[in-house]
Amino acid sequence: MKNFRRGIKAGFPIGLGYLSVSFTFGIMAVSAGLTWWQATLVSMCTVTSAGQFAGLQVMLVPGQYLQMLIAQITINIRYSFMSISVSQKADAKLRGIWRWLLGFMMTDEIFAVASQEETVGRAFFAGLSVLPYLGWSLGTLVGALLGNVLPARLMSALGIAIYGMFVAIVVPEMKKSRPVVFVVLFAVLCSCAFYYIPALARISGGITITVCAVAAAAAGAILFPIEIKEGESSK
């Protein structure tokens, strides 16, 4: 129970961030023609911010199923690698259906928190996932029902909440480690290159995210390898 409460505490800021971001998705989904319950069901069954926003755009032009498949694979493939990474830290109780739940609830923010744990326990990960899931689902529901009531300026402000959440997760780790600072700055430079260089600016956002993440991670692994202590190689 102690680890569950610790997970709840760690997931509280993520849940708040998801509440505001999914609120915007609810508004956009209803504006695109979905009903309030359809928009809410999408968020309850996927829990992927970029994937849902990209999928919504494709839904506006029926029949482009191949485009949707490529976009979703490109945007969400990173969650597979995140799940594999966190599963290496999972304890003996986090198995079976719990592994499926781990993969389902794996997001960038949850991965960032879980990866800081030496061992990811079932109770901790369950607590970590509760508030983000509720925040994402309830935010979509409220946005779909009440979005038209709020002013446009407030809607625009809520749309940048996800970036503030990323900053809150990354900056503390940057203060602790110089290699993390390098990896973050390298990723920023790669992202800027894809934005400002005309030839690269034509590449889709999903592919850009994937390339920047892999390139930064590879650079960090090559320049700042983690030494394996004696006795750890067999674990």
Side-chain angles (χ1 to χ4, degrees):
M1 200 62 185
K2 178 181 178 181
N3 288 329
F4 181 78
R5 290 195 298 267
R6 191 166 61 87
I8 289 286
K9 183 178 179 180
F12 180 74
I14 301 176
L16 289 180
Y18 282 3
L19 187 67
S20 59
V21 175
S22 61
F23 190 96
T24 305
F25 172 76
I27 296 171
M28 293 180 60
V30 172
S31 299
L34 297 182
T35 62
W36 65 267
W37 67 267
Q38 288 174 331
T40 305
L41 186 62
V42 169
S43 286
M44 292 180 66
C45 294
T46 54
V47 195
T48 165
S49 56
Q52 288 181 213
F53 282 105
L56 185 62
Q57 297 301 317
V58 178
M59 288 179 189
L60 297 179
V61 185
Q64 297 186 359
Y65 300 113
L66 181 59
Q67 179 181 342
M68 178 181 289
L69 176 63
I70 295 174
Q72 294 303 316
I73 291 177
T74 303
I75 293 173
N76 295 324
I77 190 65
R78 68 186 188 278
Y79 295 135
S80 299
F81 299 114
M82 292 178 185
S83 299
I84 293 173
S85 176
V86 174
S87 67
Q88 303 305 306
K89 296 185 174 183
D91 64 12
K93 294 183 179 180
L94 211 164
R95 59 186 177 183
I97 188 64
W98 287 96
R99 295 265 179 168
W100 289 89
L101 293 175
L102 182 148
F104 174 74
M105 282 305 304
M106 187 58 60
T107 64
D108 301 283
E109 296 77 23
I110 289 178
F111 170 77
V113 174
S115 62
Q116 298 176 26
E117 296 287 312
E118 292 185 5
T119 302
V120 179
R122 184 175 64 183
F124 173 79
F125 192 84
L128 178 62
S129 303
V130 169
L131 294 182
Y133 183 77
L134 293 177
W136 190 254
S137 302
L138 292 177
T140 301
L141 175 61
V142 175
L145 292 175
L146 304 177
N148 294 329
V149 178
L150 300 179
R153 290 186 178 181
L154 180 57
M155 294 300 94
S156 178
L158 290 173
I160 65 173
I162 187 70
Y163 303 108
M165 187 165 50
F166 277 124
V167 172
I169 292 174
V170 173
V171 170
E173 291 302 309
M174 293 176 66
K175 292 181 179 180
K176 299 177 184 177
S177 173
R178 288 185 179 181
V180 174
V181 174
F182 170 83
V183 171
V184 171
L185 294 179
F186 189 89
V188 170
L189 291 176
C190 288
S191 181
C192 290
F194 276 93
Y195 184 82
Y196 290 106
I197 298 176
L200 297 178
R202 300 176 182 177
I203 300 176
S204 67
I207 295 178
T208 298
I209 293 174
T210 302
V211 172
C212 292
V214 172
I222 293 173
L223 297 178
F224 305 101
I226 298 177
E227 297 182 0
I228 300 177
K229 298 180 181 180
E230 185 177 355
E232 290 186 352
S233 58
S234 59
K235 293 183 180 180

